[in-house]
Amino acid sequence: MRAMSESVSVRCPACRREHIYAAPAYPCECGAPVAPPLDPHGTATAVAHRAWDDEWVGVRCTECGREGEWPRPELGCPCGTVLLVPVARSAADDAAQPQAPAARRVFQPITIRTAHDAVTAAAVYLRWLGYRDIRRAGQRPTSGVGISADGLLAQVDPTVQPASLRDVECLWLTAMTESVPCVYFTLSGYSPAARARADTLGVPLFVLDLTGTPQPVNTLADDLDATGAA
């Protein structure tokens, strides 16, 4: 089992500094740590703009054989350039014999420093719960970022304002049009009216602490955290 990828040398194309980088590992649905395999012969590129499809890379778990989408390795250079570290895509396609799924392990959070980290933390948590095919939602929410998965719609609100009753209702209405349940993540909590309405509508509410661990706010969230995806 591989918990971390091997370290590779990464050169910044802007200032030409050399860095030694090893990709972090994230928990697979089976609980095993998975790290994107790095390409020691590839060339790092600077991030010019953010695009959802560019934030993820396919990686196969060597323990259970599942292939999932994981955060693409990136590195911040002291010169201010954010670098995309090249990934050995062919390694993600190595043959692996599926094994019986292991019991779900303790969630391994991602420290939140930016709004992008909050979205990544929520996506990794949903994958830990057992949701698959996680991607950016087709419809833009009233605030924050929408995430879709097979059988679920989620909203991640990284703002400093508590989520309002309208925010919760809009998420629920959008989920109803897609005939899927929904879940809300925020960094700043919820108004009392939003919490009451979420209980009525059946919306699990979570608060993301700065360690990246989703904290259940209502009983629905407690149940989802305990049982995972249906």
Side-chain angles (χ1 to χ4, degrees), residues 102-227:
R104 192 174 60 172
R105 299 185 183 180
V106 176
F107 176 64
Q108 299 177 24
I110 299 173
T111 301
I112 295 176
R113 298 184 180 88
T114 65
H116 178 259
D117 291 339
V119 176
T120 300
V124 170
Y125 176 73
L126 291 177
R127 185 172 288 109
W128 176 77
L129 289 178
Y131 291 99
R132 309 296 295 274
D133 193 21
I134 297 172
R135 59 202 180 275
R136 184 182 287 273
Q139 299 187 42
R140 185 180 180 86
T142 55
S143 62
V145 176
I147 299 176
S148 289
D150 285 347
L152 185 76
L153 180 66
Q155 184 167 332
V156 185
D157 189 350
T159 63
V160 297
Q161 297 295 327
S164 67
L165 180 150
R166 178 174 178 271
D167 293 329
V168 171
E169 288 185 335
C170 287
L171 171 63
W172 179 79
L173 287 170
T174 302
M176 289 302 97
T177 64
E178 299 182 14
S179 301
V180 294
C182 57
V183 58
Y184 207 117
F185 298 90
T186 179
L187 290 178
S188 303
Y190 304 86
S191 70
R195 294 183 59 170
R197 189 61 170 152
D199 289 341
T200 301
L201 298 176
V203 180
L205 303 179
F206 291 88
V207 170
L208 289 165
D209 64 28
L210 294 183
T211 70
T213 303
Q215 302 293 340
V217 171
N218 57 4
T219 301
L220 294 160
D222 280 322
D223 293 343
L224 181 60
D225 183 79
T227 62

Side-chain angles (χ1 to χ4, degrees), residues 54-112:
D54 295 334
E55 303 290 342
W56 307 90
V57 61
V59 182
R60 188 182 298 278
C61 176
T62 57
E63 290 296 298
C64 69
R66 292 183 179 89
E67 184 169 355
E69 295 293 315
W70 302 96
R72 180 180 293 277
E74 61 179 45
L75 171 67
C77 180
C79 75
T81 303
V82 178
L83 308 174
L84 287 180
V85 181
V87 173
R89 289 184 178 273
S90 59
D93 298 325
D94 289 344
Q97 294 297 324
Q99 301 175 4
R104 192 174 60 172
R105 299 185 183 180
V106 176
F107 176 64
Q108 299 177 24
I110 299 173
T111 301
I112 295 176

